[in-house]
C-alpha cells in the first residue's frame, strides 16, 4: 500500500464523486454529456464547508476509448479481486469442524486443511479470522497417529507450514515434534536422503521421490523459521539427494536415478522443486570454514558453486510455460507446477526464466482460468482436480508471488563469445546469498511487509528486452564486484532512467576492491547531471544513520549523491555484502563470536539503507509504475474518476515518483473525492494530455521543451486545462528552467504571485491555508548558503492567468518531496502535512477552473 499522508485537520466531512473533466481535444472532440448528481444516493451530501465543490459534480464526461488489456500488464484490483473470490470459495467449502475435505481413496483432511489454512493466511487473512481460527483448531487437535500412512509426508509437511504461518507461540512445541518426525522419516538406505509417502517405517523404508521430498524440505524450512532444530546432516543429505538426481540436461524428473544411471525425463514441476530445494539447502549449510580467529571471513575467495541451481534455472529458461507443466505432455499437474514456479523463482531470486516474467505470465493465465461463478480453480491430476486443492495452490502462487521485490541484484560482466546470454565469470555474484539473506532478515522485522523477495537482473538482457521497465519492479538496485565496472552506453542510459524513475542504487566492493570503487565513482558521474555526480561522505545527521538502527556515523563510512528528493545513490567502501552472505536464521555450529558481531553490524547497515531507500514500503508487483512510451492511441480514461497525468521532461521529471499518488490518496481519504491513483506519465507531444483535466509537473534540473510540445501545451491550456508544477526541494535550476519555459509559452505574460486573498487559499475551495510551515534558506530567497530555518508564513504560489482563471499554478518551494515525506534538512519547501493541505486546495481549484471553462463553453451564446 502507498504511504498514507493525511492533512493535519480531520474536519473534512464532504464525500463527493468527482468526474474526470479533460479539456477539449485538439483533434475531433468526442461528444460530451452533462451529468447531474442525485443527492439521494449519497449519504454525505456537500455541506457549506466546501460550497464550490458542488460545481465539480457537474463535470463533463468524455467518451473513453476501449482497448484490450495486455495479458502481462497486471491490474492491482484484478489480482486482488481474484484472490478475494478464491478466499471466499475456500471459506464456503469449510466443514463444520473447521476442516476441508476432498474425495479420494484415503482420508486427506489434515493435508487439505493445512493447505487451505496456509492459502488463507498467505492471501491476507489473520489467525484471528474465524475460518482460519477454526482450521487451526482442527489441526492442533490432530495427532500424528491419525494421519494416513500413504500420505503422511505431505500431511506432516503441510501441517508444519500452516502452523508456522500462523506464528503463534503455542504451536512451537507441536511444530518441533512434527519436524522431528520428518527428520526421522528421511530415507538413508542407499544414501538416498529423500522421502517417500510414509514416515512410520523409519529411515530404512523404500525409495524416495522428488515430490514428497520437496514438501519435506519446505516443512523443515518452516520448522526452522519457527525455532525448531534440524540437524546439519539432514540438510547435507537433502543437498546430496537433489544434486545426485539431477539430469544431464539440468532438469529433474519424477523419480530417482537408478544404479544404472537411468532416470525419468525432466518435468517442469520436478525441476522447480529441485531449484527451490537446493536453494533452501544452500542457505542452511553455510559454514564458518576459513573464518579467521578475529572473525574475518574469506571474502576474497571464490564463492561456493551453485552450478546445480543455475543448471536447473537454465532448464526452466529453455522450457518455461505459463500454460502447461513442461515435460508432462500437457496440463497434467499444472497448478502444482505453478505453485512450484513461485517457490523456485522467489527462493532463487529469479524474476525471469529466459524472457518470461514468471509472475506476470502465470497470473495472467490464472485470472483467465478462474471459474467466474464461484471463484475456484481446478487442474488436472488426482488431487488438484479437486477445486479446494486447486484453489489453494492458485492462491499460494498469486499471494506469495505478489510479495514485494525489495532488491534487484545487478548481473553484469563479460559475455560468452558464442552465447551473449551467458556470462563467463561470476564476479557480480561473489557472495551469492548476500541480498537474499538481508531480505529474509528484513522480512522478519516489525514495520516491514512479512514477505519480501529479491531478484537477479541481467543488465544486458534488460537493454534488449523491456528497457527500464525490467528494472522497475524493485526500488533498490544493488551492485557489487571485485573489479572494474564496464557498462555500454545503452546500459548506462538504462541505469540513469532507473534513477530518474525515483529509484535507488546501493553499491559496495567485493574484497575491498579499489578498482571497483574508482569505476563506480566514474559511473555515478555519468549517471548524474553535469557537476552533480561526486560521491561525498554522508553528513552525521543523515537519516540513514538512525532510520532503523542507531548507527555511529564515525564508525560507518557511507557516501552518497542526492538526486530528486533524497540521496538516490549510496556507496559503502566496506564489503558489507560478504557479511550478509554469512547471516543465518540459525547459526551454524560453533559460530565465531566476533564474526557474529561483524554480521550484526553489516546487516544493520543494510537494513538502514533499505529502510531509507523505501520507507519500508516497497511496492508489490501490481503497483509497479511502468515507464510509458509515446502512444498513438487515446487513453482509456476511467469514467467517474478524477485523473491527473504527470509530464515527462529531461530535468529529473520523476524526482518524487510517489508524490502525485500520495496526494490523490489524501484527497480520497480526507475530502471524499473519487480520484484514481493509477499513474500516467506523458510527454507533452502526446495527444492524450487532452484527456486529463489537470497536468502535473516537477523536477530538480534545467530542462528543455521542444516547440512542438510547447504548442500542444498552449492549446491544452487555452482549451481549459490546468498545469500544476513545483520545484523539488526548491531547486534553483528547475525554477530557472520553468520560468524560461513559461516565457516561451506566453511571451506577453509572466508568472505572477497569486494573492493570499485569492479563493485558492480559502475554505471556499478547500481549506483555509493562509499560514503554513515552510523551510527556507537563511539570508533570504537568493541565499546560496546551506543553513535553513523554519517559518510559519503565507504560502507562495505563482500563476499565469487566462480568461480570469489561473491556468498555470507554480510553487518555487517544494511540495512534491514533502508529499513523499522524503525531505532532508536542506530541502527548501513546505512540511509534509502542510504540503497535503496546499496540494489539496490546488487540485480542487484546478478542477473548479476546468469545470467553469467547460460550463461556459457549453452555455448558449447571448
Amino acid at each position: 500500500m502507498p504511504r498514507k499522508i493525511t492533512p493535519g485537520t480531520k474536519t473534512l466531512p464532504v464525500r463527493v464523486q468527482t468526474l474526470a473533466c479533460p479539456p477539449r481535444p485538439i483533434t475531433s472532440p468526442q461528444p460530451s454529456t452533462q451529468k447531474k448528481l442525485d443527492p439521494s444516493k449519497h449519504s454525505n451530501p456537500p455541506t457549506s464547508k466546501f460550497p464550490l465543490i458542488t460545481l465539480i459534480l457537474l463535470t463533463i464526461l468524455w467518451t473513453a476509448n476501449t482497448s484490450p488489456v495486455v495479458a502481462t500488464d497486471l491490474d492491482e484490483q484484478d489480482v486482488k479481486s481474484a484472490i478475494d473470490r478464491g478466499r471466499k470459495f475456500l471459506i464456503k467449502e469449510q466443514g463444520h469442524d473447521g476442516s476441508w475435505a476432498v474425495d479420494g481413496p484415503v482420508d486427506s483432511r489434515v493435508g487439505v486443511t493445512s493447505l487451505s489454512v496456509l492459502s488463507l493466511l498467505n492471501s491476507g487473512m489473520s489467525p484471528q479470522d474465524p475460518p482460519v481460527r477454526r482450521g487451526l483448531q482442527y489441526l492442533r487437535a490432530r495427532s500424528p497417529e491419525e494421519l494416513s500412512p500413504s500420505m503422511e509426508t505431505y500431511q506432516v509437511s503441510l501441517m508444519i507450514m500452516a502452523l508456522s504461518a500462523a506464528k503463534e507461540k503455542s504451536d512451537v512445541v507441536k511444530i518441533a515434534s512434527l519436524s522431528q518426525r520428518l527428520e526421522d522419516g528421511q530415507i538413508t538406505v542407499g544414501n538416498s536422503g529423500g522421502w517417500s509417502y510414509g514416515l512410520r517405517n523409519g529411515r530404512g523404508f523404500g525409495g524416495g521421490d522428488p515430490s514428497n521430498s520437496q514438501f519435506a524440505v519446505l516443512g523443515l524450512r518452516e520448522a526452522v523459521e519457527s525455532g525448531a532444530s534440524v540437524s546439519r546432516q539432514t540438510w547435507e543429505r537433502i543437498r546430496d539427494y537433489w544434486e545426485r538426481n539431477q539430469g544431464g540436461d539440468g532438469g529433474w524428473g519424477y523419480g530417482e536415478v537408478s544404479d544404472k544411471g537411468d532416470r525419468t525425463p525432466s518435468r517442469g514441476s520436478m525441476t522447480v522443486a529441485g531449484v527451490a530445494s537446493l536453494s533452501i539447502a544452500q542457505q542452511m549449510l553455510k559454514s564458518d570454514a576459513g573464518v579467521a580467529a578475529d572473525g574475518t571471513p574469506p571474502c576474497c575467495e571464490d564463492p561456493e558453486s551453485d552450478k546445480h541451481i543455475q543448471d536447473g534455472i537454465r532448464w526452466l529458461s529453455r522450457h518455461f510455460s505459463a500454460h502447461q507443466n513442461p515435460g508432462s505432455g500437457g496440463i497434467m499437474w499444472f497448478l502444482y507446477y505453478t505453485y512450484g514456479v513461485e517457490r523456485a523463482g522467489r527462493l532463487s531470486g529469479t524474476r525471469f526464466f529466459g524472457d518470461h516474467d514468471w509472475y506476470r505470465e502465470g497470473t495472467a493465465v490464472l485470472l483467465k482460468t478462474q471459474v467466474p461463478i464461484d471463484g475456484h480453480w481446478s487442474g488436472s491430476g488426482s488431487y488438484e482436480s479437486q477445486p479446494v486443492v486447486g484453489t489453494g495452490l492458485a492462491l499460494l502462487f498469486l499471494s506469495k508471488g505478489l510479495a514485494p521485490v525489495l532488491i534487484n541484484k545487478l548481473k553484469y560482466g563479460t559475455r560468452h563469445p558464442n552465447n551473449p546470454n551467458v556470462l563467463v565469470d561470476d564476479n557480480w555474484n561473489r557472495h551469492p546469498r548476500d541480498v537474499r539473506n538481508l531480505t529474509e532478515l528484513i522480512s522478519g522485522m516489525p514495520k516491514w511487509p512479512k514477505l519480501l523477495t529479491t531478484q537477479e537482473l541481467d543488465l544486458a538482457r534488460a537493454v534488449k528486452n523491456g528497457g527500464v521497465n525490467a528494472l522497475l519492479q524493485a526500488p533498490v538496485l544493488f551492485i557489487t564486484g571485485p573489479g572494474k565496472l564496464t557498462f555500454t552506453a545503452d546500459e548506462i542510459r538504462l541505469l540513469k532512467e532507473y534513477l530518474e524513475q525515483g529509484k535507488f542504487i546501493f553499491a559496495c566492493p567485493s574484497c575491498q576492491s579499489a578498482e571497483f570503487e574508482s569505476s563506480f565513482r566514474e559511473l555515478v558521474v555519468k549517471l548524474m547531471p553535469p557537476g552533480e555526480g561526486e560521491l561525498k561522505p554522508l553528513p552525521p545527521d543523515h537519516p540513514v544513520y538512525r532510520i532503523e538502527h542507531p548507527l555511529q556515523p564515525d564508525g560507518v563510512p557511507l557516501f552518497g549523491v542526492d538526486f530528486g528528493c533524497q540521496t538516490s545513490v549510496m556507496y559503502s567502501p566496506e564489503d558489507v555484502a560478504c557479511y550478509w552472505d554469512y547471516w543465518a536464521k540459525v547459526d551454524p555450529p560453533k559460530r565465531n563470536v566476533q564474526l557474529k558481531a561483524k554480521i550484526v553490524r553489516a546487516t544493520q547497515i543494510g537494513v538502514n539503507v533499505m529502510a531509507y531507500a523505501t520507507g519500508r514500503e516497497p511496492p508489490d508487483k501490481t503497483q509497479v509504475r511502468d515507464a510509458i512510451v509515446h502512444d498513438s492511441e487515446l487513453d482509456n480514461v476511467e469514467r467517474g474518476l478524477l485523473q491527473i497525468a504527470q509530464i515527462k521532461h529531461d530535468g529529473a521529471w520523476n524526482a518524487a515518483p510517489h508524490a502525485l499518488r500520495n496526494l490523490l490518496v489524501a484527497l480520497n481519504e480526507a475530502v471524499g473525492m473519487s480520484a484514481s491513483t493509477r499513474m500516467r506519465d506523458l510527454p507533452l507531444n502526446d495527444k492524450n494530455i487532452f484527456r486529463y483535466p489537470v497536468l502535473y509537473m516537477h523536477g530538480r534540473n534545467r530542462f528543455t521543451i521542444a516547440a512542438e510540445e510547447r504548442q500542444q501545451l498552449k492549446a491544452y491550456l487555452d482549451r481549459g486545462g490546468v498545469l500544476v508544477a513545483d520545484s523539488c526541494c526548491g531547486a534553483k535550476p528547475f525554477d530557472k528552467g520553468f520560468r524560461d519555459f513559461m516565457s516561451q509559452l506566453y511571451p506577453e505574460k509572466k508568472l505572477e504571485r497569486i494573492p493570499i486573498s485569492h479563493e485558492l487559499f480559502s475554505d471556499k475551495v478547500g481549506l483555509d491555508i493562509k499560514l503554513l510551515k515552510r523551510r527556507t534558506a537563511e539570508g533570504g530567497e537568493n541565499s546560496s548558503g546551506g543553513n535553513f530555518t523554519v517559518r510559519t508564513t503565507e504560502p507562495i504560489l505563482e500563476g499565469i492567468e487566462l480568461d480570469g482563471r489561473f491556468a498555470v499554478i507554480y510553487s518555487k518551494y517544494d511540495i512534491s518531496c514533502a508529499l513523499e515525506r522524503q525531505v532532508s534538512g536542506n530541502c527548501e519547501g513546505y512540511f509534509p502535512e502542510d504540503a497535503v493541505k496546499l496540494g489539496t486546495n490546488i487540485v480542487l481549484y484546478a478542477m473548479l477552473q476546468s469545470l467553469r471553462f467547460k460550463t461556459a463553453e457549453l452555455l448558449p451564446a447571448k
Side-chain angles (χ1 to χ4, degrees):
M1 294 294 291
R3 186 182 299 109
K4 294 183 178 180
I5 303 178
T6 55
T9 176
K10 298 291 184 181
T11 57
L12 300 173
V14 181
R15 181 164 296 277
V16 299
Q17 184 177 14
T18 305
L19 306 177
C21 174
R24 184 178 47 169
I26 195 170
T27 58
S28 303
Q30 302 181 31
S32 63
T33 58
Q34 199 159 345
K35 306 278 284 188
K36 292 186 177 180
L37 180 70
D38 181 357
S40 66
K41 296 181 180 179
H42 293 260
S43 58
N44 295 309
T47 71
S48 59
K49 181 69 178 176
F50 295 97
L52 295 181
I53 290 182
T54 55
L55 293 176
I56 301 177
L57 304 178
L58 303 174
T59 304
I60 299 158
L61 286 172
W62 294 84
T63 302
N65 288 358
T66 57
S67 57
V69 177
V70 179
T72 56
D73 199 13
L74 299 185
D75 181 272
E76 179 179 359
Q77 291 307 120
D78 289 345
V79 178
K80 292 182 177 178
S81 174
I83 291 172
D84 183 61
R85 283 181 281 135
R87 271 198 308 253
K88 289 177 179 176
F89 172 80
L90 282 185
I91 293 169
K92 178 173 66 70
E93 295 296 310
Q94 188 175 26
H96 294 298
D97 63 352
S99 72
W100 281 263
V102 297
D103 296 332
V106 298
D107 184 354
S108 57
R109 280 179 296 171
V110 169
V112 177
T113 300
S114 298
L115 176 66
S116 299
V117 169
L118 184 65
S119 300
L120 293 178
L121 285 170
N122 276 281
S123 62
M125 297 185 75
S126 77
Q128 287 70 47
D129 288 319
V132 178
R133 186 178 68 248
R134 290 190 290 116
L136 288 169
Q137 289 171 347
Y138 174 84
L139 293 176
R140 288 164 181 152
R142 307 277 75 77
S143 69
E145 285 67 30
E146 297 179 58
L147 304 180
S148 169
S150 60
M151 292 291 289
E152 197 172 6
T153 298
Y154 284 115
Q155 297 195 81
V156 169
S157 302
L158 283 164
M159 193 188 303
I160 292 173
M161 293 160 68
L163 295 175
S164 177
K167 298 186 183 303
E168 295 189 359
K169 292 182 179 180
S170 58
D171 294 324
V172 170
V173 173
K174 188 176 185 70
I175 290 171
S177 175
L178 293 169
S179 172
Q180 188 61 54
R181 193 175 187 87
L182 271 185
E183 277 201 88
D184 292 342
Q186 189 180 31
I187 301 168
T188 59
V189 171
N191 197 31
S192 171
W195 278 262
S196 185
Y197 288 92
L199 297 171
R200 301 186 184 194
N201 292 314
R203 297 178 185 272
F205 176 69
D209 72 75
S211 183
N212 279 288
S213 297
Q214 72 155 330
F215 271 84
V217 172
L218 293 170
L220 291 175
R221 178 181 187 268
E222 295 307 312
V224 171
E225 289 283 325
S226 297
S229 176
V230 177
S231 75
R232 191 173 184 85
Q233 190 176 23
T234 296
W235 291 114
E236 288 171 347
R237 284 195 290 259
I238 289 169
R239 178 195 60 200
D240 295 343
Y241 173 86
W242 288 100
E243 290 184 356
R244 186 175 60 254
N245 288 295
Q246 188 174 24
D249 61 354
W252 281 267
Y254 183 72
E256 298 179 342
V257 176
S258 70
D259 294 338
K260 297 180 180 180
D262 298 329
R263 63 183 297 277
T264 57
S266 296
R267 294 184 190 176
S269 55
M270 294 298 95
T271 301
V272 293
V275 169
S277 297
L278 279 177
S279 295
I280 293 169
Q282 183 190 69
Q283 178 192 25
M284 298 297 177
L285 289 172
K286 188 71 176 179
S287 74
D288 286 2
V291 175
D294 67 353
T296 303
C299 298
C300 298
E301 293 184 6
D302 290 336
E304 296 179 14
S305 172
D306 62 352
K307 178 180 183 302
H308 294 276
I309 295 175
Q310 293 306 315
D311 285 348
I313 291 173
R314 280 190 279 272
W315 189 94
L316 290 169
S317 298
R318 294 191 302 271
H319 300 284
F320 177 82
S321 171
H323 300 275
Q324 61 181 356
N325 177 9
S328 68
I331 61 172
M332 184 65 70
W333 300 109
F334 169 71
L335 293 173
Y336 172 81
Y337 154 74
T338 298
Y339 172 40
V341 166
E342 179 277 324
R343 291 195 306 276
R346 178 169 51 84
L347 294 175
S348 69
T350 304
R351 173 182 173 185
F352 292 95
F353 291 125
D355 294 330
H356 299 279
D357 185 329
W358 57 263
Y359 181 74
R360 288 196 170 195
E361 292 186 28
T363 296
V365 171
L366 289 179
L367 293 185
K368 290 179 181 178
T369 56
Q370 186 177 28
V371 177
I373 192 170
D374 63 2
H376 84 264
W377 285 269
S378 61
S380 179
S382 59
Y383 274 95
E384 75 168 48
S385 61
Q386 309 259 3
V388 168
V389 174
T391 302
L393 294 171
L395 281 178
L396 284 171
F397 175 89
L398 290 175
S399 303
K400 299 186 81 170
L402 194 63
V405 182
L406 180 64
I407 308 170
N408 275 335
K409 185 173 183 180
L410 195 66
K411 188 174 181 178
Y412 66 91
T414 306
R415 304 277 157 177
H416 192 284
N418 299 325
N419 187 351
N421 290 330
V422 175
L423 293 170
V424 298
D425 62 62
D426 291 329
N427 283 334
W428 65 276
N429 200 29
R430 297 301 293 267
H431 313 309
R433 291 204 59 87
D434 47 15
V435 296
R436 276 184 270 167
N437 284 346
L438 179 67
T439 301
E440 185 170 349
L441 166 65
I442 290 173
S443 290
M445 296 180 64
K447 303 178 184 178
W448 286 87
K450 66 179 181 180
L451 182 62
L452 294 165
T453 64
T454 68
Q455 297 172 159
E456 296 168 356
L457 188 131
D458 190 323
L459 186 58
R461 297 186 73 176
V463 169
K464 296 179 181 178
N465 303 305
V468 72
N469 286 340
L471 282 74
L472 291 181
Q473 203 170 87
V476 179
L477 181 68
F478 179 65
I479 307 175
T480 188
K484 183 178 181 179
L485 293 170
T486 55
F487 296 124
T488 67
D490 285 340
E491 290 169 345
I492 292 173
R493 174 186 53 78
L494 209 62
L495 295 175
K496 186 174 182 178
E497 289 181 22
Y498 180 74
L499 289 176
E500 289 174 347
Q501 294 279 343
K503 305 304 182 182
F504 184 93
I505 293 177
F506 182 56
C508 75
S510 298
C511 195
Q512 307 300 120
S513 169
E515 191 176 28
F516 177 91
E517 177 168 331
S518 175
S519 60
F520 184 72
R521 287 181 177 275
E522 292 173 2
L523 172 65
V524 174
V525 171
K526 296 174 183 177
L527 296 179
M528 295 295 168
E532 298 184 24
E534 181 184 357
L535 281 171
K536 297 180 180 179
L538 297 181
D541 61 349
H542 195 285
V544 76
Y545 289 115
R546 60 182 184 276
I547 191 168
E548 188 87 41
H549 300 289
L551 302 176
Q552 296 300 320
D554 291 344
V556 180
L558 289 173
F559 295 77
V561 174
D562 288 348
F563 184 80
C565 300
Q566 62 177 351
T567 305
S568 294
V569 177
M570 282 191 191
Y571 175 75
S572 167
E574 302 177 2
D575 187 0
V576 291
C578 177
Y579 294 98
W580 301 347
D581 196 64
Y582 276 83
W583 177 86
K585 175 72 77 172
V586 178
D587 287 337
K590 299 179 181 180
R591 165 136 280 180
N592 183 296
V593 176
Q594 294 185 70
L595 171 62
K596 178 74 171 180
K598 294 175 188 289
I599 293 171
V600 169
R601 174 182 176 275
T603 53
Q604 286 183 346
I605 293 171
V607 169
N608 277 31
V609 170
M610 298 306 140
Y612 175 79
T614 67
R616 303 186 189 90
E617 293 180 356
D620 68 35
K621 288 175 180 152
T622 63
Q623 291 177 327
V624 175
R625 178 176 176 172
D626 284 349
I628 306 296
V629 297
H630 181 78
D631 189 352
S632 60
E633 299 296 325
L634 289 177
D635 281 0
N636 185 11
V637 177
E638 296 178 79
R639 301 174 74 94
L641 296 178
L642 162 64
Q643 291 185 268
I644 300 175
Q646 184 168 338
I647 296 304
K648 299 173 66 174
H649 57 84
D650 59 3
W653 67 273
N654 202 25
H658 307 297
L660 179 55
R661 181 186 177 95
N662 287 346
L663 177 59
L664 293 171
V665 168
L667 281 163
N668 285 336
E669 293 179 349
V671 183
M673 297 182 74
S674 295
S676 171
T677 56
R678 295 183 66 181
M679 299 293 99
R680 184 64 159 115
D681 310 323
L682 296 170
L684 281 171
N685 60 356
D686 193 318
K687 63 185 179 182
N688 277 305
I689 67 170
F690 290 94
R691 305 185 72 79
Y692 297 87
V694 181
L695 300 179
Y696 168 68
M697 180 178 181
H698 71 236
R700 283 187 66 103
N701 305 321
R702 288 291 297 265
F703 59 92
T704 56
I705 302 293
E708 172 195 359
E709 295 177 298
R710 294 198 301 270
Q711 180 181 3
Q712 181 150 286
L713 177 62
K714 188 174 186 301
Y716 167 90
L717 297 173
D718 290 344
R719 285 164 170 76
V722 179
L723 173 66
V724 176
D726 78 295
S727 175
C728 289
C729 281
K732 299 299 190 292
F734 180 88
D735 180 69
K736 179 66 166 60
F738 190 80
R739 294 180 188 281
D740 291 345
F741 177 34
M742 289 298 105
S743 66
Q744 293 172 329
L745 201 65
Y746 292 103
E748 72 285 1
K749 296 179 177 292
K750 67 176 183 178
L751 285 168
E752 297 179 347
R753 181 171 176 180
I754 302 175
I756 196 64
S757 58
H758 194 275
E759 64 179 356
L760 190 156
F761 301 104
S762 73
D763 56 8
K764 293 180 180 179
V765 166
L767 297 162
D768 188 335
I769 50 171
K770 299 294 194 303
L771 293 174
L772 298 177
K773 289 174 67 177
R774 189 176 74 236
R775 185 185 292 105
T776 55
E778 292 183 359
E781 297 179 6
N782 297 321
S783 171
S784 59
N787 295 322
F788 290 77
T789 187
V790 176
R791 296 185 176 91
T792 299
T793 185
E794 293 180 353
I796 294 178
L797 293 176
E798 298 173 89
I800 289 181
E801 195 170 10
L802 303 177
D803 300 317
R805 66 185 180 91
F806 281 102
V808 176
I809 303 170
Y810 172 65
S811 174
K812 64 181 177 182
Y813 296 115
D814 175 79
I815 298 174
S816 304
C817 295
L819 289 172
E820 291 205 327
R821 295 188 179 270
Q822 293 283 3
V823 289
S824 60
N826 61 351
C827 193
E828 194 167 17
Y830 297 94
F831 273 54
E833 293 77 10
D834 288 348
V836 174
K837 297 176 185 178
L838 186 56
T840 297
N841 276 34
I842 290 172
V843 171
L844 293 176
Y845 173 81
M847 288 300 300
L848 178 61
Q849 301 321 301
S850 184
L851 171 64
R852 282 173 171 167
F853 185 88
K854 301 304 291 184
T855 303
E857 186 180 56
L858 292 175
L859 290 175
K862 292 184 179 179

